Amino acid sequence: MSRLSRTLQTSLRNTSCTLKGSVLAPPRTRIARSSTAASSATTTADSPLAAHLNAIFSPLQFPPELARRILTHGSHPEAVHGHNGRLAFIGRRVLESYYLLFVHDSAKASADYNYDALAERALNSYVLGEHVAPQWSLGKVLRWVPTIPRNAIEAAQEHLPDAELTRALSANPGIVRSVGLYKVMGEAVQAVVGGVYHQFGGSVAHRLFHTRILPHILLPNQHGGVPMEFHAKALSISERMGGRLEAKELKQ
């Protein structure tokens, strides 16, 4: 069975993916806290994380616990209380499903595409980390610790990335793509998608994909990203669904 067939049969069966979107869905499940003590200890730290996501994705309101998980990488000491690994796993599947459905709907009838290669080219964590994460300023708030020796960090300090990622490195100076920054940021993008799908439902996640992710991974004249033949359709859908998702669009 092809990758597209598996996607069509097993992913997002109960998700409404209309361009009209939907009202914000209630939480599907609660993420259990490890202990009352852990909850009280992290409440103060959680609030800025939720505030950041609420500002970027207004009018969505992320619960502090969900925001903490989304923005905590498994390498961080606080990951013992929960990290974004599971949400990133869900987010990867959601992204892949929406992308392959978009490609399948947009492809010419006579074309024969390698869906595995198309998904890897456009949705790998390095592409998401380099081109989507800065749009959401995730580098300012993501909690993570590089798993490399200090001397490797120092050796990379002369290769600073763009301004947004330079600000992202304030807590971890010198980390660049070669030592995992884009990968970690890409996994955070995936976790955001997983968190939105979990908390607010498939229609909101679908709108998020088409308006806040797909336009940033078109990457014309670059090796990665979405192939050129799909760019016009991607931009058309984004426009129809509200572009940057200002406040009213997410609620429609």
Side-chain angles (χ1 to χ4, degrees):
M1 183 181 293
S2 70
R3 187 170 188 163
L4 178 61
S5 297
R6 294 197 303 272
T7 298
L8 292 172
Q9 291 185 17
T10 65
S11 298
L12 312 175
R13 289 191 180 97
N14 299 318
T15 299
S16 173
C17 296
T18 65
L19 296 180
K20 293 292 185 181
S22 70
V23 296
L24 301 185
R28 308 234 175 129
T29 60
R30 291 185 178 274
I31 303 176
R33 297 307 304 247
S34 58
S35 68
T36 302
S39 177
S40 60
T42 57
T43 298
T44 302
D46 288 347
S47 299
L49 303 181
H52 180 84
L53 293 179
N54 293 342
I56 296 296
F57 302 107
S58 175
L60 302 182
Q61 294 294 304
F62 289 77
E65 167 64 8
L66 178 62
R68 184 185 65 78
R69 285 181 178 261
I70 289 173
L71 296 174
T72 301
H73 187 258
S75 61
H76 194 273
E78 287 296 319
V80 296
H81 302 303
H83 57 81
N84 63 12
R86 184 177 69 171
L87 292 173
F89 176 86
I90 295 171
R92 283 193 295 274
R93 274 39 186 191
V94 172
L95 284 171
E96 183 177 281
S97 297
Y98 289 146
Y99 181 62
L100 293 182
L101 289 169
F102 161 72
V103 170
H104 183 69
D105 183 60
S106 306
K108 296 178 180 179
S110 59
D112 183 18
Y113 292 102
N114 182 331
Y115 288 100
D116 288 318
L118 287 177
E120 175 60 24
R121 165 178 166 161
L123 299 175
N124 71 77
S125 58
Y126 290 99
V127 169
L128 296 176
E130 183 175 1
H131 300 284
V132 180
Q135 302 296 326
W136 302 349
S137 300
L138 295 184
K140 296 179 180 179
V141 290
L142 183 65
R143 306 193 299 178
W144 72 292
V145 175
T147 55
I148 60 172
R150 181 64 190 177
N151 61 345
I153 298 175
E154 294 172 349
Q157 286 182 335
E158 61 186 72
H159 305 293
L160 291 177
D162 58 62
E164 169 62 28
L165 291 173
T166 298
R167 291 194 296 271
L169 301 178
S170 57
N172 301 288
I175 306 300
V176 291
R177 175 173 182 161
S178 62
V179 292
L181 174 65
Y182 288 152
K183 185 176 190 299
V184 170
M185 293 297 170
E187 290 169 354
V189 170
Q190 296 165 348
V192 169
V193 175
V196 168
Y197 182 80
H198 159 80
Q199 185 72 17
F200 305 112
S203 290
V204 176
H206 183 242
R207 186 180 292 273
L208 176 71
F209 168 74
H210 276 290
T211 60
R212 301 288 289 272
I213 297 175
L214 189 59
H216 297 302
I217 58 174
L218 299 181
L219 309 182
N221 303 318
Q222 296 189 37
H223 176 69
V226 179
M228 283 291 296
E229 58 262 39
F230 300 115
H231 286 197
K233 182 67 174 290
L235 293 173
S236 174
I237 293 175
S238 178
E239 183 177 358
R240 282 157 48 199
M241 296 181 76
R244 274 191 54 81
L245 286 184
E246 300 300 340
K248 61 182 180 180
E249 277 83 9
L250 276 174
K251 286 186 174 179
Q252 290 177 351

